[in-house]
Each structure stands twice: as C-alpha cells, then as structure tokens.
Amino acid sequence: MSFGELATVLPKASGLPGYTQIVFGSNTGNNTSEKSRLMGKFIGGFSAWSYWLGWSPVIGIYAILIGDYLHGLLPIFSVIPQTFFNLIVGALVFGYMIIIN
C-alpha cells in the first residue's frame, strides 16, 4: 500500500531511491538549494543499498528452508550431510537469481 501510494503521488520517480530523493531533496517546490538536492541523492542511494542489504539474508533463509525440505522429502538426499546440501541449494538459488536478473 505504501509503495502504491508513493507511485501514485510521485509518478516520475523510479522506485525506492527515486521516492526518497524527491522527498528528502526535491528540486521542485520551495526547496531548490544544491545542498538539499545532494542530501536527497545521498539519502536515496543509502536507502537503496539498505533495502538491498536488508533482503540479502533471505537467500540464506530460502536455501536452508529448501534444503531441509528436500532433505526430508527425498530419501536419496539423506546420504549428503545437511549443511553441505544447504550450501549446494544456496548456490543454486543464488545462481538462478543471477540468471533471472
């Protein structure tokens, strides 16, 4: 809902960094100083990196969940140690994400 509202109010912005750049350092409206624009760019870039870093642990969580599920579901995987199997699944998930991106 929040991103939908931001997309409606700020149609020319591009995602989370664009929204924060406009909100914190807009060069439209009354605040047109160079310092404000640079601060908006800094906060926009920082928010993009923070968003990315916040979602990074999800790859490991997915790898552990998928590895545990497959390890218990298929008896053929029971000969592989659990931790090693989770690492293999994590590499596959990460590789798949790189291919998609």
Side-chain angles (χ1 to χ4, degrees), residues 10-41:
L10 306 169
K12 295 187 187 241
S14 59
L16 182 66
Y19 300 144
T20 53
Q21 284 178 5
I22 288 176
V23 170
F24 287 103
S26 176
N27 53 359
T28 61
N30 296 335
N31 198 0
T32 59
S33 70
E34 182 69 20
K35 183 179 178 183
S36 173
R37 191 179 68 75
L38 289 176
M39 182 58 80
K41 282 189 163 195

Side-chain angles (χ1 to χ4, degrees), residues 1-21 23-24 43-44 47-52 55:
M1 296 290 287
S2 300
F3 282 120
E5 180 69 23
L6 284 169
T8 304
V9 174
L10 306 169
K12 295 187 187 241
S14 59
L16 182 66
Y19 300 144
T20 53
Q21 284 178 5
V23 170
F24 287 103
I43 293 174
S47 67
W49 276 99
S50 299
Y51 190 76
W52 181 81
W55 279 100

Side-chain angles (χ1 to χ4, degrees), residues 4 6 13 22 26 36-37 40 47 49 59 61 69 72-73 77 79-80 84 97-98:
L6 284 169
I22 288 176
S26 176
S36 173
R37 191 179 68 75
S47 67
W49 276 99
I59 296 172
I61 293 168
Y69 179 72
L73 180 68
F77 294 132
V79 296
I80 303 171
F84 184 68
M97 288 175 59
I98 288 174

Side-chain angles (χ1 to χ4, degrees), residues 54-101:
W55 279 100
S56 294
V58 174
I59 296 172
I61 293 168
Y62 281 160
I64 292 170
L65 289 174
I66 294 169
D68 285 345
Y69 179 72
L70 289 176
H71 204 266
L73 180 68
L74 301 171
I76 193 166
F77 294 132
S78 63
V79 296
I80 303 171
Q82 182 72 40
T83 305
F84 184 68
F85 187 70
N86 289 344
L87 289 172
I88 291 171
V89 170
L92 290 173
V93 168
F94 188 69
Y96 183 69
M97 288 175 59
I98 288 174
I99 290 170
I100 288 176
N101 197 10

